[in-house]
Amino acid sequence: MRQVLLRIGALLVSLLLASVVVFVVLRLLPGDSAGTSLGVGTTADQLAQLRSELGTDQPVVAQYLQWLGQIVRGDLGTSFVSRLPVGDLIAQKLPITVPLSVSAFVLAVLVSVPLGVLAAVHRRGPVGVVVSAVSQLGVAVPVFWVGVLLVLVLALQAQVLPAGGFPRTGWDDPVAAARSLVLPVVTVATAMSAVMVRYVRSATLDVLDQDYLRTARSLGYGRWQALRRHGLRNAAVPVVSILGIELATSLLGAVVIENVFALPGLGTLLLGSVTARDLPVVQALVLGLTGVVLVMNTLVDLAQRAIDPRLRLTREVAA
């Protein structure tokens, strides 16, 4: 419990520091939110009035403290452009981005974990060489290029899936909504699988070279039986770490790939808000994505302690 509380405290401090960095960096960028909203030809009095309404004429410290107080109360602020609550704008986009991210992660795990173990067990055979080569190629290829290639083959030539967009009715038409997410999910999952296969392969190779696994083989266990009974749990410790990171980055990957497939999710909202210098929306999204990464790192650390008792014993001895 003490370790859990320490990790939660470190998480809160990290979130506070991240909020400072996000807020200050956005204020240092060139441009003026009021000027962008009013456009060309506005007078100085109009700019001053709008800055007063938006609160951007106050000192940066006062603006940050006001924004931090809103965050603590669960209020993400109001958009400079649409004048709608930022929380409502984000909530409208989550039903697109979250299914895309989670589906891509699940698909990547289902593909990469068996392939990574297979590549490690048969590392000197043709199967292991092919899997390793394909995963290396997948790491080198840009994710947006994979999306463009899938659109060319499956949408434009085969015409079996839509090239982009999302139904206006949303998930009221689940079949159409799911079809519109197939190509983005496969695109993100392809990039994630290429990375995860290499980590799973490396972790499994480390286990295969351990003495206790050779001892199990000498006692009559087959290769797969010894690995399943004595090796997979130890191999899972480093793999859990990369899985947690990839789950967080799957959300970031979904944000990027949404613009390739013209999906009206968080990625489109973020890009449009950056262009319009809609600071409340941008800083809420950036801080939220940062928070997801930090939370996942904390959960990964706790999960590793639960899987590997040696980590708990090490911390107890150090304490």
Side-chain angles (χ1 to χ4, degrees):
M1 181 60 67
R2 184 171 62 88
Q3 291 295 331
V4 171
L5 294 177
L6 288 175
R7 291 297 301 168
I8 293 176
L11 172 63
L12 294 177
V13 172
S14 300
L15 287 173
L16 181 62
L17 294 176
S19 69
V20 173
V21 173
V22 169
F23 192 89
V24 172
V25 168
L26 289 178
R27 292 320 188 270
L28 292 177
L29 294 177
D32 181 17
S33 301
T36 303
S37 300
L38 293 176
V40 180
T42 57
T43 64
D45 292 338
Q46 291 174 327
L47 284 174
Q49 181 180 356
L50 183 56
R51 287 168 183 159
S52 177
E53 293 176 0
L54 299 178
T56 56
D57 59 339
Q58 300 178 11
V60 175
V61 175
Q63 294 182 48
Y64 171 74
L65 293 177
Q66 181 181 3
W67 177 61
L68 183 61
Q70 292 176 339
I71 295 294
V72 172
R73 296 192 301 269
D75 180 10
L76 299 180
T78 303
S79 168
F80 286 170
V81 176
S82 64
R83 304 300 175 91
L84 295 174
V86 175
D88 293 346
L89 294 175
I90 294 177
Q92 294 172 5
K93 309 299 182 180
L94 287 178
I96 298 174
T97 302
V98 172
L100 168 58
S101 175
V102 174
S103 300
F105 175 76
V106 172
L107 179 60
V109 170
L110 293 177
V111 171
S112 62
V113 172
L115 286 181
V117 175
L118 188 66
V121 174
H122 300 284
R123 59 185 180 275
R124 295 185 179 89
V127 174
V129 173
V130 170
V131 172
S132 299
V134 172
S135 65
Q136 183 64 40
L137 179 63
V139 172
V141 172
V143 62
F144 65 86
W145 187 84
V146 176
V148 172
L149 186 62
L150 290 176
V151 169
L152 178 64
V153 175
L154 297 179
L156 299 182
Q157 295 182 357
Q159 297 184 356
V160 295
L161 292 169
F166 198 76
R168 292 183 178 274
T169 56
W171 287 99
D172 292 339
D173 186 355
V175 175
R179 280 172 50 84
S180 67
L181 291 182
V182 170
L183 290 183
V185 165
V186 174
T187 302
V188 177
T190 300
M192 294 174 59
S193 298
V195 176
M196 292 165 61
V197 163
R198 300 188 65 80
Y199 276 95
V200 174
R201 178 181 180 275
S202 177
T204 307
L205 285 175
D206 290 341
V207 169
L208 290 175
D209 293 333
Q210 297 298 319
D211 293 337
Y212 61 82
L213 208 63
R214 286 193 290 267
T215 302
R217 293 291 304 277
S218 67
L219 294 176
Y221 287 105
R223 176 186 298 175
W224 288 102
Q225 187 180 14
L227 182 62
R228 185 180 66 253
R229 290 177 62 90
H230 301 285
L232 291 182
R233 180 171 181 176
N234 292 297
V237 176
V239 172
V240 165
S241 177
I242 188 60
L243 289 181
I245 295 173
E246 288 297 321
L247 177 57
T249 54
S250 69
L251 183 60
L252 304 179
V255 167
V256 173
I257 212 66
E258 282 175 359
N259 291 284
V260 176
F261 290 95
L263 293 174
L266 292 181
T268 305
L269 177 63
L270 179 59
L271 181 61
S273 300
V274 169
T275 304
R277 282 195 60 82
D278 196 351
L279 296 184
V281 177
V282 175
Q283 61 198 20
L285 285 173
V286 174
L287 182 61
L289 294 174
T290 305
V292 169
V293 174
L294 293 175
V295 169
M296 286 308 306
N297 288 339
T298 301
L299 294 178
V300 164
D301 183 71
L302 297 176
Q304 287 179 323
R305 296 172 191 276
I307 295 173
D308 191 350
R310 294 172 298 179
L311 295 177
R312 298 196 299 269
L313 292 175
T314 302
R315 291 302 179 90
E316 289 174 3
V317 172

